[in-house]
Amino acid sequence: MMNSLITINDIYYLIGLVVMLLVGMTLSDRHNPKRLTTALFWCCFGAIFLFGDLLVSQLGSQMAYRIVGGLVILMALLAGTGQLAMGRYAQRSDAERQGSAAKLGNRLFLPAVMIPVATVLSTLLLGHASLGDYFVLDQKNVTLTSLAIGTLAALLLGWKLTGGTPLQAVRESRRLVDAIGWAAILPQMLAMLGGVFVVAQTGESVKAVVDLFVTPDNLFLMVVIYCVGMALFTMIMGNAFAAFPVMTAGIAIPFLIMGAHGNPAAVVAIGMLSGYCGTLMTPMGANFNIVPAALLELDNKYQVILVQIPTALMMLVCNILLMYFLAFR
């Protein structure tokens, strides 16, 4: 089997290194009233990326999983008890930032555009490229390694455009991470929770509960349960992709596809869109709802959600009607 020049572990080490730089900056920030606990939170997070492989190789997978689980629980306790806080950050004045923005104009958006463009090009051009006995990218994680390349390309372009330094980029990373707080890592935690639900066969439990209270002949009610269930479970999980296997295995496949002979493509596509309606209405979808509020410096961190709720509810009703009238005809 051929090895890879850039592996997913290399990406994890890079993430861990950057997080540890943020930890060092937090510890040196005397203006942060909770600098020790804030630094401890991010140190636990960075340590998982930096030392996960070492723990497995030295202690075995079972012990390593217990240690990582303990770190995750500690992080949850720190976040849940409000032990994260913001410090002081060296920022330019509003006038300086507005002057810089006016000078750069629309070129400010180039680094953001560079990420998806470089990611796609890297995937297409380097996905299966090799140098001698080595693949360029990790063949099991081509998209993720390509995303890392795209992010680094955007960072280099940003330095070129603004004349900044790598240290300045790390400082800005700390400011954004502190502004977002624990929600910055919520998608990763929810993805792990989704995996746990799949392994625990939660979908089978959902099917058993629905079987007890609803007759399969009531097609409209089954459609409502599936669509609303996708939205509600997504609100709990924060991600429709995590809710999808549970609700589809528990309701869509046994009742709507196999039982009512619905069009599989229509059922699952509209079901996933119903899940996205839940994403619009939950703080658990932090990367969609809480992060933008922090980046926009809104007074109410839930303002984005409040604005989206009417649209989400109307879309959910439309999805129910679309599935009922299109997927079974």
Side-chain angles (χ1 to χ4, degrees):
M1 180 181 294
M2 294 176 62
N3 294 319
S4 303
L5 294 176
I6 303 175
T7 67
I8 193 63
N9 285 336
D10 296 329
I11 307 303
Y12 291 159
Y13 297 147
L14 179 60
I15 294 172
L17 178 61
V18 172
V19 173
M20 288 306 181
L21 289 175
L22 304 185
V23 170
M25 291 181 177
T26 300
L27 287 173
S28 63
D29 186 356
R30 300 285 179 177
H31 298 282
N32 188 329
K34 299 177 180 178
R35 63 188 180 92
L36 295 179
T37 50
T38 301
L40 177 59
F41 178 90
W42 293 111
C43 185
C44 292
F45 183 66
I48 294 173
F49 285 97
L50 278 179
F51 306 116
D53 280 349
L54 181 63
L55 289 174
V56 172
S57 63
Q58 296 297 318
L59 303 176
S61 59
Q62 292 300 320
M63 181 58 68
Y65 296 157
R66 291 189 177 93
I67 293 174
V68 171
L71 292 176
V72 171
I73 292 173
L74 176 58
M75 292 167 64
L77 291 174
L78 290 171
T81 55
Q83 298 304 310
L84 276 67
M86 295 187 65
R88 178 178 293 181
Y89 314 93
Q91 292 181 267
R92 294 181 296 176
S93 65
D94 288 341
E96 289 175 328
R97 283 185 288 177
Q98 290 175 4
S100 177
K103 179 181 178 181
L104 292 172
N106 289 332
R107 288 182 295 165
L108 274 173
F109 297 101
L110 289 178
V113 174
M114 174 62 74
I115 296 177
V117 171
T119 300
V120 172
L121 290 177
S122 177
T123 301
L124 295 176
L125 301 178
L126 301 178
H128 300 290
S130 61
L131 292 175
D133 294 333
Y134 291 85
F135 284 112
V136 175
L137 303 181
D138 190 328
Q139 294 300 287
K140 293 182 179 179
N141 298 277
V142 172
T143 303
L144 288 178
T145 48
S146 295
L147 177 60
I149 291 174
T151 303
L152 291 174
L155 187 60
L156 292 173
L157 179 59
W159 292 343
K160 177 66 175 178
L161 290 174
T162 63
T165 64
L167 187 58
Q168 182 181 355
V170 176
R171 289 196 185 105
E172 281 298 301
S173 296
R174 183 174 79 95
R175 181 181 68 82
L176 290 175
V177 163
D178 285 350
I180 298 168
W182 57 266
I185 66 171
L186 189 58
Q188 181 186 8
M189 298 300 176
L190 292 174
M192 291 193 300
L193 182 59
V196 171
F197 281 166
V198 171
V199 173
Q201 297 182 333
T202 309
E204 291 297 321
S205 300
V206 171
K207 178 180 179 296
V209 171
V210 173
D211 242 339
L212 287 174
F213 299 100
V214 182
T215 60
D217 295 335
N218 194 332
L219 179 59
F220 183 75
L221 185 56
M222 281 294 179
V223 170
V224 171
I225 291 174
Y226 178 51
C227 292
V228 174
M230 273 294 299
L232 292 177
F233 208 71
T234 298
M235 292 176 70
I236 297 171
M237 300 291 294
N239 192 318
F241 288 99
F244 181 77
V246 175
M247 298 304 297
T248 300
I251 299 176
I253 293 177
F255 298 115
L256 299 179
I257 296 175
M258 297 182 66
H261 306 291
N263 184 312
V267 169
V268 298
I270 298 175
M272 180 65 83
L273 187 57
S274 300
Y276 293 154
C277 296
T279 302
L280 297 176
M281 299 187 288
T282 176
M284 299 299 281
N287 49 330
F288 296 103
N289 303 326
I290 303 301
V291 172
L295 295 178
L296 295 172
E297 299 179 353
L298 301 179
D299 293 333
N300 184 354
K301 64 180 179 179
Y302 302 116
Q303 185 62 40
V304 173
I305 297 174
L306 295 175
V307 171
Q308 293 174 163
I309 286 177
T311 302
L313 292 175
M314 288 188 291
M315 286 179 59
L316 184 58
V317 172
C318 291
N319 287 336
I320 292 172
L321 297 176
L322 284 173
M323 184 179 294
Y324 181 71
F325 288 108
L326 296 181
F328 304 96
R329 297 291 184 272

